[in-house]
């Protein structure tokens, strides 16, 4: 009996060893090789050219379309994503999010940099042995939007890369930059010897990346980590300040051209790419960057990338938009009725269903990828619609609007197009979106925070904030730890909607019905004097806060709940939903915040 048991155990050990060697358990080794001057990525010993996507749409659809990888922008709670990738046979470029100066991060603040380094180390240690991991992408567009010449940023990146190489010899390192202008290429080569691969986000310029990269002195291999249609900043505005968005059919050509010229044409230098965005997002418009609609319906970009990845066009193709045109001028009077002509068809000759949507235009075309609220829509404006066009009675309110059409066949494939229209006359202030109460500003498992703590004020280089502090939170797994290292001066952080806005843009939330703002706080030692607040944007701004609140407190070293009473206040637009500030108190100050909500 013992002999039988021992034989079974030995057989299991041999099986487990074989399983591990195939990468089903433990890390799959990824290597970057230079053979006779040509770069190549190998995974488990085999050449590996990245055919990737970036975004949250169906990974099964990505696999069926010919993709072999996807990327993340951060490493928080990605275990399920890695497991799904492993199940499907996909790899993952794991993003290590690094702070942006425009969000208040200061690379000359040693505390902030040290805490960021430790977070990166913990993430790499946590996931380095997962078999789906392909690369570490250390930061995304954190180098800034001018010259990219802040040596402190490059030093912080390289320190993390050196650590990653040391603790994880199985996966190469990469950092991701916004295009390659200024001194980016030079500094990545000069100041980041431990970065193996250059990740480049490029849109209208992706086809010319090979020549421009070499001219800038690039010798490290590169991956195109985002590409797609031209960005709003790359298209000339029309006479009333709007940009023309290419139709989904036209966008397919941008994906094809960019892939063929900037990616596939560069074997030995380019290691692959990640098409963007595998999903949908509100950025400039509801459809500008999406390859897949919110309901999972694919667009032309998916068909094109399927052909690029597999060499064959998909059997079922997306509908095509030949044209969408306003019958008449694109600047009209208040309340005027206009007709729009549509020419659309389906390659399978299927009947198409069409949906028409009129929305207000966003006030600013932001370029940083920050979260945006969708602008209001006007369903009552569509008075007649069909496959050949639509009639719409424009609102009796001036400003710029955008008319969208969605044409969908019976096979979960769509085409989208839109056209901007200006209604002449004064424009009213865009109302804030109504929020559902209670509204959590900070708490565990908050996937879509309504406000971002991006408004750093005062002596910002003395501020360090850890939003995922695991040291004795009030509830759950984490709380916010704040440190202010200056003995004098002052500092503070305000939570904003939209991010990085100080009253110039529409946004904020309508919190009518709320009675109080509650939160928990404690000091490191006790005795810390901190002011908590909301609503700091005054009436001198185009879009001010409609109310303000302030609570000055002296903290103890135990958790206490605090309340700011908002009964009777005008809460129709709260753009700065929470914040804190303090004055220097003769030495370093540290305190904690948790469970912030409007209720």
């Amino acid at each position: 009996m013992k002999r039988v048991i021992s034989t079974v155990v030995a057989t299991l050990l041999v099986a487990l060893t074989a399983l591990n060697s195939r990468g089903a358990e433990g890390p799959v080794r990824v290597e970057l090789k230079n053979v006779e001057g040509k770069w190549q990525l190998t995974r488990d010993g085999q050449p590996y050219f990245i055919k990737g996507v970036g975004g949250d749409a169906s990974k099964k659809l990505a696999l069926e379309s010919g993709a072999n990888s996807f990327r993340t922008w951060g490493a928080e709670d990605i275990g399920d994503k890695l497991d799904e990738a492993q199940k499907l046979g996909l790899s993952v470029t794991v993003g290590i999010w690094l702070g942006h100066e425009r969000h208040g991060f200061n690379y000359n603040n040693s505390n902030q940099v040290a805490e960021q380094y430790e977070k990166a180390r913990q993430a790499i240690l946590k996931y380095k042995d997962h078999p789906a991991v392909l690369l570490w992408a250390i930061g995304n567009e954190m180098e800034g939007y001018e010259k990219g010449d802040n040596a402190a940023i490059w030093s912080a990146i390289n320190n993390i890369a050196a650590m990653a190489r040391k603790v994880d010899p199985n996966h190469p390192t990469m950092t991701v930059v916004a295009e390659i202008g200024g001194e980016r290429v030079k500094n990545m080569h000069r100041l980041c010897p431990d970065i193996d691969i250059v990740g480049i986000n490029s849109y209208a310029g992706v086809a010319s990346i090979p020549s421009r990269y070499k001219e800038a002195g690039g010798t490290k291999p590169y991956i195109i980590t985002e590409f797609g249609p031209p960005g709003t900043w790359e298209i000339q505005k029309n006479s009333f300040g709007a940009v023309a968005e290419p139709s989904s059919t036209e966008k397919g050509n941008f994906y094809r051209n960019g892939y063929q010229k900037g990616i596939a044409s560069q074997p030995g230098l380019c290691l692959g790419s990640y098409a963007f965005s595998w999903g949908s997002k509100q950025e400039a418009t509801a459809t500008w960057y999406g390859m897949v609609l919110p309901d999972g319906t694919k667009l032309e970009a998916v068909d094109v990338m399927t052909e690029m990845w597999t060499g064959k066009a998909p059997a079922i193709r997306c509908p095509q938009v030949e044209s969408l045109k306003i019958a008449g001028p694109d600047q009209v009077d208040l309340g005027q009725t206009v007709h729009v002509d549509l020419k659309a068809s389906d390659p399978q000759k299927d009947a198409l269903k069409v949906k028409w949507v009129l929305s207000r235009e966003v006030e600013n075309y932001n370029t940083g990828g920050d979260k945006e609220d969708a602008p209001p829509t006007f369903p009552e404006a569509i008075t007649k619609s069909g496959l050949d066009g639509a009639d719409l009675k424009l609102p009796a309110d001036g400003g710029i609007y955008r008319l969208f059409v969605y044409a969908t066949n019976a096979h979960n494939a769509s085409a989208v197009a839109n056209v901007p229209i200006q209604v002449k006359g004064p424009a009213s202030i865009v109302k804030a979106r109504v929020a559902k109460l209670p509204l959590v500003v900070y708490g565990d498992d908050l996937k879509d925070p309504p406000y971002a703590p991006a408004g750093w004020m005062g002596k910002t280089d003395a501020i360090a904030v850890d939003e995922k502090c695991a040291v004795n939170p009030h509830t759950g797994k984490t709380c916010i730890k704040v440190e202010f290292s200056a003995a004098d001066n002052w500092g503070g952080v305000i939570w904003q909607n939209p991010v990085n806005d100080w009253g110039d843009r529409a946004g904020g939330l309508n919190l009518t019905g709320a009675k109080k703002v509650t939160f928990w706080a404690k000091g490191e030692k006790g005795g810390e004097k901190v002011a908590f607040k909301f609503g700091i944007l005054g009436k001198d701004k185009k879009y001010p806060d409609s109310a303000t609140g302030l609570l000055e407190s002296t903290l103890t070293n135990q958790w206490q709940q605090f309340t700011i009473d908002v009964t009777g206040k005008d809460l129709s637009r709260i753009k700065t939903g929470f914040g804190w500030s303090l004055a220097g108190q003769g030495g370093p100050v540290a305190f904690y915040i948790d469970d912030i909500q409007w209720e």
Side-chain angles (χ1 to χ4, degrees):
M1 184 65 177
K2 289 182 178 179
R3 181 178 297 175
V4 173
I5 293 173
S6 64
T7 302
V8 172
V9 171
T11 302
L12 285 171
L13 287 173
V14 171
L16 287 171
T17 301
L19 195 65
N20 190 59
S21 69
R22 293 195 301 269
E25 288 186 358
V28 175
R29 184 163 178 77
V30 180
E31 295 181 276
L32 180 63
K33 298 180 178 181
N34 190 314
V35 180
E36 298 181 350
K38 293 187 176 181
W39 292 104
Q40 184 181 68
L41 203 63
T42 65
R43 186 170 187 253
D44 203 16
Q46 300 301 311
Y48 196 83
F49 190 77
I50 298 170
K51 303 173 182 179
V53 298
D56 292 328
S58 167
K59 302 306 184 294
K60 184 173 181 289
L61 175 62
L63 178 67
E64 292 169 349
S65 302
N68 63 8
S69 186
F70 65 89
R71 67 173 289 209
T72 74
W73 280 255
E76 293 182 357
D77 302 320
I78 62 168
D80 289 345
K81 292 183 179 181
L82 291 173
D83 291 344
E84 181 186 17
Q86 178 65 8
K87 183 178 179 180
L88 293 172
L90 301 172
S91 69
V92 182
T93 286
V94 177
I96 306 294
W97 184 260
L98 301 186
H100 289 210
E101 290 179 302
R102 64 193 180 88
H103 292 160
F105 195 94
N106 187 338
Y107 280 88
N108 293 310
N109 183 312
S110 58
N111 286 334
Q112 282 184 276
V113 172
E115 288 182 2
Q116 178 170 262
Y117 176 95
E118 181 58 22
K119 282 184 181 179
R121 190 178 76 89
Q122 291 298 331
I124 293 169
L125 289 173
K126 183 174 182 179
Y127 296 116
K128 68 183 181 68
D129 293 330
H130 197 290
V133 173
L134 180 67
L135 306 169
W136 301 113
I138 301 167
N140 183 82
E141 300 189 357
M142 68 283 111
E143 82 286 356
Y145 294 95
E146 299 299 329
K147 292 183 178 181
D149 59 351
N150 186 342
I153 295 177
W154 301 112
S155 175
I157 292 167
N158 193 67
N159 287 341
I160 294 173
M163 172 271 294
R165 279 180 155 188
K166 183 177 180 179
V167 303
D168 177 21
N170 291 310
H171 303 106
T173 62
M174 174 172 72
T175 191
V176 178
V177 294
E179 260 290 346
I180 55 173
E183 299 180 11
R184 287 166 174 78
V185 176
K186 180 181 76 173
N187 284 330
M188 279 184 285
H189 286 72
R190 180 172 65 100
L191 301 176
C192 296
D194 292 295
I195 287 292
D196 300 310
I197 302 164
V198 178
I200 304 169
N201 294 343
S202 181
Y203 290 88
V206 66
S208 63
I209 283 290
S211 59
R212 292 190 290 121
Y213 183 66
K214 293 170 187 175
E215 290 170 4
T219 58
K220 293 184 180 188
Y222 70 81
I223 297 170
I224 300 298
T225 39
E226 288 181 20
F227 74 102
T232 53
W233 62 95
E234 296 170 311
I235 295 179
Q236 185 174 357
K237 294 180 178 179
N238 68 9
S239 60
F240 52 85
V243 291
E245 178 180 345
S247 70
S248 59
T249 304
E250 293 169 325
K251 288 175 186 175
N253 293 326
F254 286 109
Y255 282 90
R256 184 187 303 276
N257 185 62
Y259 189 84
Q260 290 176 336
K261 294 181 179 179
I263 299 161
S265 67
Q266 298 299 308
L269 184 60
C270 181
L271 304 176
S273 63
Y274 290 92
F276 185 84
S277 163
W278 191 254
S280 61
K281 64 178 300 192
Q282 169 64 43
E283 186 172 350
T285 77
T287 58
W288 199 288
Y289 296 103
M291 301 172 71
V292 180
L293 294 177
D295 63 0
T297 306
K298 69 171 184 172
L299 296 170
E300 179 71 10
V302 177
D303 285 354
V304 169
M305 292 314 304
T306 298
E307 184 179 347
M308 297 297 98
W309 290 328
T310 68
K312 295 173 58 178
I316 300 297
R317 297 297 302 265
C318 288
Q320 307 287 297
V321 172
E322 180 181 334
S323 65
L324 176 67
K325 295 180 180 179
I326 300 170
D330 58 4
Q331 293 176 282
V332 300
D333 294 326
L334 296 171
Q336 184 174 331
T337 296
V338 301
H339 179 75
V340 180
D341 290 312
L342 170 67
K343 290 184 180 180
S345 61
D346 185 77
Q348 290 79 225
K349 307 300 182 183
D350 287 346
L352 295 176
K353 294 181 179 179
V354 292
K355 179 178 74 170
W356 296 85
V357 177
L358 181 71
S359 76
R360 187 180 281 275
E361 185 79 328
V362 296
E363 290 198 332
N364 296 279
Y365 300 124
N366 302 314
T367 60
D370 296 321
K371 178 182 178 298
E372 293 181 6
D373 287 334
T377 60
F378 305 86
E380 69 283 357
I382 312 298
T383 59
K384 182 181 178 182
S385 64
L387 184 57
D388 59 350
D391 291 336
L392 61 152
K393 184 177 177 61
L394 291 163
D397 187 17
I400 302 173
Y401 297 82
R402 194 172 286 262
L403 179 66
F404 295 79
V405 63
Y406 299 77
T408 305
N409 65 21
H411 302 282
N412 211 34
S414 291
V416 299
N418 64 64
V419 60
I421 306 170
Q422 184 185 39
V423 177
K424 293 181 287 186
S428 63
I429 295 294
V430 179
K431 294 182 179 180
R433 175 170 58 89
V434 176
K436 182 179 179 180
L437 299 172
L439 181 78
V440 177
V441 176
Y442 178 86
D444 278 5
D445 302 320
L446 186 59
K447 298 186 185 303
D448 190 17
Y451 295 96
W456 290 45
M457 306 175 293
K459 189 172 176 58
T460 57
D461 60 353
I463 301 172
V465 178
D466 181 359
E467 295 181 57
K468 296 291 183 180
C469 178
V471 179
N472 191 28
H474 173 252
T475 61
K477 298 178 181 178
T478 63
C479 63
I480 301 169
K481 181 180 181 181
V482 177
E483 295 177 278
F484 186 70
S485 59
D488 55 9
N489 216 299
W490 74 281
V493 175
I494 198 75
W495 273 247
Q496 300 171 315
N497 179 326
V499 67
N500 297 319
D501 173 64
W502 296 94
D504 301 316
R505 292 152 52 196
L509 294 172
N510 183 340
L511 295 166
T512 300
K515 303 299 182 185
K516 56 187 176 180
V517 183
T518 64
F519 59 95
W520 292 76
K522 71 170 186 173
E524 182 79 52
K525 300 176 181 177
E528 297 85 355
K529 297 182 183 299
V530 184
F532 297 99
K533 60 189 68 181
F534 73 87
I536 70 168
L537 302 177
K539 302 300 182 184
D540 58 321
K541 302 294 184 180
K542 181 178 180 181
Y543 288 99
D545 285 297
S546 59
T548 185
L550 174 67
L551 177 66
E552 296 180 334
S553 63
T554 300
L555 304 179
T556 71
N557 62 1
Q558 300 295 317
W559 285 109
Q560 292 178 283
Q561 187 177 40
F562 295 88
T563 299
I564 302 176
D565 184 12
V566 298
T567 304
K569 291 181 179 286
D570 176 6
L571 305 177
S572 58
R573 187 190 303 274
I574 302 300
K575 299 192 66 185
T576 54
F578 187 76
W580 62 267
S581 64
L582 56 77
Q585 296 170 30
V589 174
F591 65 96
Y592 303 81
I593 317 170
D594 204 353
D595 299 326
I596 309 167
Q597 70 174 4
W598 287 72
E599 54 187 87

